[in-house]
Amino acid sequence: MLEWMGMYPDELKQALADMGEKPFRAGQLFSWLHRGACFSDMTNLPLNLREKLADRGVDQPVEVRDIRVSQLDGTRKFLFALRDGNCVEGVLMRYHYGATLCISTQVGCKMGCRFCASTLDGCVRNLTAAEMLGQVQCANRLLDGERVHNIVLMGSGEPMDNYDQVVRFLRLVSHPDGLNIGLRHISVSTCGLVPQMRAFAQEGLPVTLSLSLHAPNDGIRRQIMPIANRYTIDETLDACRYYIEKTGRRVVLEYALIDGVNADPACADELAKRLRGMQCHVNLIPLNTVKERNLYGVQESQVRAFLTALENRHISATRRREMGDDIEGACGQLRKKVMQEERA
Ligand code: SAH
């Protein structure tokens, strides 16, 4: 089955032409699809065309299977069902500057970061661009009037490992006749696939690139992130510098503080030295504890100390707010829990 939503306007035009339809129908179809409409809503398309479309492809690639609402901050966690029975997670956070949605890019992940719940069962498959768009539309439906304003690709999956569909998603979600979400309101997070990061810098997509760095040196990084065996921190930060040069956008460096691993103030000093002169911002967050792996988060005082050490060395840094802590808000935790419940 085709996913109509994942097609560029030109491709829709061609597909409709192949079906013997008029080219102007493509524009109508594109705007309906990206408003989240089903075939039955598309009242300015003839019924027989809607039937043909439904025979060949799908209108809604994603459905909401479960929603949990945080009692702490109103953050909502979605479990999205895909048409093949797989499911992925998303998180909707309400900030004063608008609703931010975190979406998934793969079912599972093959990167194997030791602290991450999304990767425990490996990668099942890539999501399509349509399935990424479908997550945004599900959230918009729930927001009822308000719309998703910012998107972060920080759910399950490694975006740079699903490069083509991620780029397609970015172009479609920012299309003026579609959801028209500004690329400056989108963050793409990667564990550091260097060749793809360099290619991405040349796409002309001014999103915010986030690198999951999590370590001040290769030795520590290799303990927690297998990707560090493939690319050194130097190579990875060079790819970031290239991104900054090409896009004019500063890069965000994610750093999850893990007790006894990377949280020592000496690590902050070492990190600061590496980042000197780079147009970047460090996001600190205490690790969400992963008991299965014996990795634990840190006390607030340790976050403060690390932050102060960076600031003293003139590195721009903040402590990222954690939201939805009571609803398995983070990183594959809900999907894991639901899958475990289903197995039991
Ligand atoms: N694969 C991409 C995006 C998905 S993960 C990446 O690696 O960046 C989104 C962010 O959550 C990454 O920075 C990741 O390192 C972080 N993360 C994963 N597990 C975590 C945990 N248990 N606690 C805190 N952050 C975690």
Side-chain angles (χ1 to χ4, degrees):
M1 285 294 247
L2 290 170
E3 288 173 329
W4 295 111
M5 204 188 285
M7 294 165 81
Y8 292 127
D10 292 359
E11 294 170 336
L12 277 182
K13 225 176 256 176
Q14 187 57 52
L16 288 171
D18 293 345
M19 289 159 60
E21 298 289 336
K22 298 258 178 357
F24 77 93
R25 296 290 183 201
Q28 293 176 318
L29 180 58
F30 188 86
S31 80
W32 278 122
L33 289 164
H34 290 269
R35 261 181 275 162
C38 331
F39 294 131
S40 58
D41 302 328
M42 303 182 184
T43 45
N44 62 353
L45 300 184
L47 192 59
N48 77 320
L49 171 55
R50 285 188 254 157
E51 284 166 1
K52 281 203 267 178
L53 292 168
D55 285 343
R56 288 171 171 76
V58 300
D59 47 1
Q60 311 263 341
V62 179
E63 270 171 32
V64 175
R65 174 153 156 210
D66 189 19
I67 302 180
R68 308 210 173 168
V69 182
S70 165
Q71 300 306 305
L72 300 173
D73 53 34
T75 291
R76 276 173 271 196
K77 177 107 196 189
F78 293 93
L79 196 62
F80 294 116
L82 310 175
R83 297 183 69 101
D84 65 356
N86 277 305
C87 57
V88 293
E89 295 173 35
V91 185
L92 183 64
M93 296 152 282
R94 312 289 277 281
Y95 294 112
H96 62 277
Y97 52 83
T100 296
L101 179 69
C102 172
I103 64 164
S104 293
T105 56
Q106 294 178 317
V107 182
C109 182
K110 62 168 175 262
M111 294 297 127
C113 299
R114 289 188 47 81
F115 46 80
C116 182
S118 296
T119 197
L120 291 173
D121 295 310
C123 179
V124 178
R125 69 168 174 88
N126 284 336
L127 294 196
T128 61
E131 288 170 327
M132 297 174 217
L133 288 161
Q135 297 174 61
V136 182
Q137 282 168 352
C138 285
N140 274 342
R141 231 165 267 142
L142 185 97
L143 279 168
D144 189 33
E146 202 194 330
R147 320 221 96 212
V148 170
H149 192 252
N150 306 284
I151 299 175
V152 298
L153 276 59
M154 290 195 186
S156 67
E158 166 49 48
M160 292 294 130
D161 186 41
N162 183 13
Y163 187 92
D164 292 344
Q165 291 299 315
V166 164
V167 166
R168 179 177 280 269
F169 162 75
L170 294 172
R171 296 200 196 288
L172 286 169
V173 80
S174 60
H175 196 289
D177 302 330
L179 285 168
N180 196 17
I181 296 178
L183 291 165
R184 290 186 161 71
H185 296 253
I186 302 179
S187 290
V188 176
S189 184
T190 178
C191 65
L193 274 64
V194 168
Q196 288 90 329
M197 288 164 73
R198 287 185 166 271
F200 193 60
Q202 300 177 50
E203 295 283 355
L205 293 166
V207 301
T208 300
L209 184 68
S210 283
L211 170 70
S212 299
L213 183 60
H214 303 320
N217 59 51
D218 290 319
I220 294 179
R221 200 160 190 259
R222 283 175 191 144
Q223 288 171 31
I224 50 178
M225 301 178 72
I227 193 71
N229 294 304
R230 242 198 286 169
Y231 307 106
T232 63
I233 292 185
D234 280 341
E235 288 171 303
T236 312
L237 291 179
D238 272 348
C240 290
R241 290 188 187 92
Y242 182 66
Y243 190 84
I244 296 164
E245 181 194 315
K246 284 281 163 191
T247 63
R249 315 229 355 119
R250 74 174 183 180
V251 164
V252 173
L253 304 172
E254 303 290 341
Y255 199 106
L257 292 159
I258 312 174
D259 198 31
V261 176
N262 65 359
D264 199 86
C267 290
D269 288 345
E270 197 179 350
L271 180 65
K273 270 188 209 122
R274 280 215 122 98
L275 302 182
R276 196 179 296 151
M278 186 170 160
Q279 214 182 316
C280 65
H281 180 82
V282 179
N283 244 336
L284 294 176
I285 182 173
L287 186 84
N288 278 300
T289 293
V290 190
K291 288 205 193 74
E292 295 91 328
R293 295 286 177 81
N294 271 321
L295 294 173
Y296 297 91
V298 297
Q299 302 296 317
E300 207 47 50
S301 58
Q302 289 171 274
V303 183
R304 291 271 131 224
F306 203 94
L307 190 60
T308 307
L310 289 180
E311 282 167 348
N312 286 344
R313 291 173 176 273
H314 310 293
I315 301 294
S316 156
T318 41
R319 182 207 190 291
R320 189 168 80 192
R321 270 167 76 198
E322 294 149 289
M323 298 181 87
D325 234 8
D326 55 334
I327 49 168
E328 270 75 44
C331 319
Q333 295 180 350
L334 177 63
R335 175 168 169 267
K336 193 182 79 184
K337 190 168 168 193
V338 170
M339 280 169 40
Q340 280 167 352
E341 282 164 8
E342 277 175 1
R343 277 186 211 132

